[in-house]
Amino acid sequence: MVDADTSRTIVGIVGSPTFVKIWKAKSVQAFKPDPYVATVLNCAMWVFYGLPIVHPDSLLVVTINGAGFFIEFTYVTIFFIFSNWAIRKKITIALIVELVFFLIVAFITMTFLHNTKARSMLIGILCIIFNVLMYASPLTVMRRVIKTKSVKYMPFFLSLANFSNGLIWFSYALIKFDPYVMVPNGLGALSGLIQLVLYATYYRTTKWDEDEKSPEIELPRANLEGQA
């Protein structure tokens, strides 16, 4: 079975066609950065989780999520370059909030928790919460799909990858009955399924050749991803 970290990286790479479109058009059009901004913090948290001082013998967690972090940060950078000032401002604020939050968590973990068991539990729980929030980040995109009756700016393969990843790990958690894996990935599978249903519902009403004005982007209040 493909491990969860590899699955997350695959999901990140699946997003690349969206950024090829953005690069060619020199505009973010109506694409939203929410899932990518969310994944930056999530990958950073999982890298921290996999460090020997937090959770020993987790080299794969560090390497895979480290790669995922740079992939997602590259996507956010491209999005930033081709956005207007209002969207750039919101992305910047979101990234600063994520950085401050990460530093606070790292400080508390290393200052007040003196063994790897306690550190692993705290960071592991936070990563699960972030995973739920990451799966929820496409809600702003889904709202736009319903409002415009168009799936032009909701990438199909990203939705399919999220659904497949969530379903596989939800099934795995049912076999072992691991609620920490089951809950976030169950919600992820549900989120992906809703996106696929929306895609099937509004595919025929989508005007693929019609350019839309890029709307003001609403970033999620908190952003994240993953499961080790």
Side-chain angles (χ1 to χ4, degrees), residues 67-210:
F69 175 86
F70 285 109
I71 290 171
E72 300 299 333
F73 194 81
T74 299
Y75 288 168
V76 172
T77 300
I78 294 172
F79 209 104
F80 184 89
I81 291 171
F82 295 112
S83 297
N84 59 40
W85 171 244
I87 298 173
R88 288 180 180 179
K89 183 179 178 181
K90 290 188 175 183
I91 292 175
T92 301
I93 291 172
L95 290 176
I96 291 174
V97 170
E98 289 184 357
L99 176 60
V100 171
F101 177 82
F102 178 83
L103 292 176
I104 291 173
V105 169
F107 174 77
I108 292 174
T109 302
M110 302 311 300
T111 304
F112 300 106
L113 303 178
H114 304 295
N115 58 72
T116 55
K117 183 178 180 181
R119 291 170 181 173
S120 297
M121 179 177 293
L122 174 63
I123 303 304
I125 291 173
L126 287 176
C127 287
I128 289 172
I129 294 172
F130 294 165
N131 193 31
V132 173
L133 293 177
M134 181 205 69
Y135 278 130
S137 63
L139 288 175
T140 54
V141 179
M142 289 188 273
R143 182 177 63 184
R144 177 169 178 79
V145 168
I146 295 171
K147 183 178 179 181
T148 63
K149 301 188 186 319
S150 170
V151 295
K152 185 175 181 180
Y153 298 105
M154 185 174 71
F156 171 77
F157 289 107
L158 185 60
S159 300
L160 180 61
N162 279 329
F163 170 71
S164 301
N165 185 56
L167 184 62
I168 289 170
W169 285 101
F170 177 78
S171 302
Y172 173 81
L174 278 179
I175 295 172
K176 294 189 66 177
F177 194 68
D178 186 339
Y180 295 105
V181 176
M182 183 173 63
V183 172
N185 284 287
L187 292 174
L190 179 61
S191 173
L193 178 61
I194 293 172
Q195 291 173 57
L196 293 175
V197 170
L198 287 175
Y199 203 95
T201 302
Y202 295 114
Y203 180 83
R204 291 187 177 182
T205 59
T206 299
K207 298 177 181 178
W208 298 99
D209 299 324
E210 184 178 283

Side-chain angles (χ1 to χ4, degrees), residues 18-28 31 78-79 82:
T18 295
F19 288 88
V20 170
K21 292 179 183 178
I22 290 175
W23 187 272
K24 287 182 177 179
K26 306 298 181 186
S27 169
V28 298
F31 289 111
I78 294 172
F79 209 104
F82 295 112

